[in-house]
């Protein structure tokens, strides 16, 4: 993953409403959630929800699918896992993790 893409995704998640929305979609699993459910659960206007979803969709963190008259939103798990991997893959790469923990105690 490129640094620029990770920064955009983290920026999108940096808003409390978007982070809450994203967590709801992550909890929903592959089935996702209808937009109406998300709006009711968050208690926000449709235009506000649309704005927040758009930001998450632009970064690839969320996908949408129309099923008849219902718009279903889903967390994009491969992209989420890529972002998590980007953050964690080099954990303690420059020093042994035990050394970092030991230094914090001392």
């Amino acid at each position: 993953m490129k640094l620029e893409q990770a920064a955009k995704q983290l920026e999108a998640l940096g808003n409390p409403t978007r982070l809450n929305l994203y967590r709801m979609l992550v909890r929903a699993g592959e089935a996702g959630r209808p937009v109406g459910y998300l709006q009711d659960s968050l208690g926000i206007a449709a235009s506000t929800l649309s704005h927040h979803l758009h930001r998450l969709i632009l970064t690839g963190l969320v996908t949408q699918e129309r099923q008849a008259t219902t718009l279903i939103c889903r967390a994009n798990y491969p992209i989420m896992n890529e972002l998590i991997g980007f953050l964690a893959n080099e954990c303690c790469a420059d020093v042994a993790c035990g050394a970092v923990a030991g230094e914090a105690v001392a």
Side-chain angles (χ1 to χ4, degrees):
M1 169 175 276
K2 294 183 179 179
L3 182 65
E4 192 69 29
Q5 180 65 23
K8 287 178 183 178
Q9 290 171 343
L10 292 169
E11 180 182 7
L13 293 173
N15 174 281
T17 300
R18 281 193 293 275
L19 183 57
N20 191 27
L21 170 60
Y22 190 68
R23 292 183 73 215
M24 287 175 65
L25 292 173
V26 169
R27 285 193 306 267
E30 292 293 333
R33 293 281 188 219
V35 168
Y37 174 90
L38 297 170
Q39 184 182 356
D40 291 344
S41 296
L42 293 170
I44 59 177
S47 60
T48 303
L49 177 60
S50 178
H51 163 76
H52 289 303
L53 281 170
H54 182 70
R55 290 286 307 271
L56 293 169
I57 290 166
L58 282 177
T59 62
L61 290 166
V62 170
T63 63
Q64 285 185 330
E65 175 189 0
R66 182 161 298 280
Q67 293 180 355
T69 60
T70 304
L71 193 57
I72 305 295
C73 299
R74 292 182 182 90
N76 188 338
Y77 293 101
I79 297 296
M80 178 187 76
N81 290 331
E82 189 177 346
L83 178 60
I84 291 168
F86 176 80
L87 295 172
N89 283 345
E90 294 187 29
C91 177
C92 306
D94 294 335
V95 64
C97 284
V100 173
E103 291 173 10
V105 173

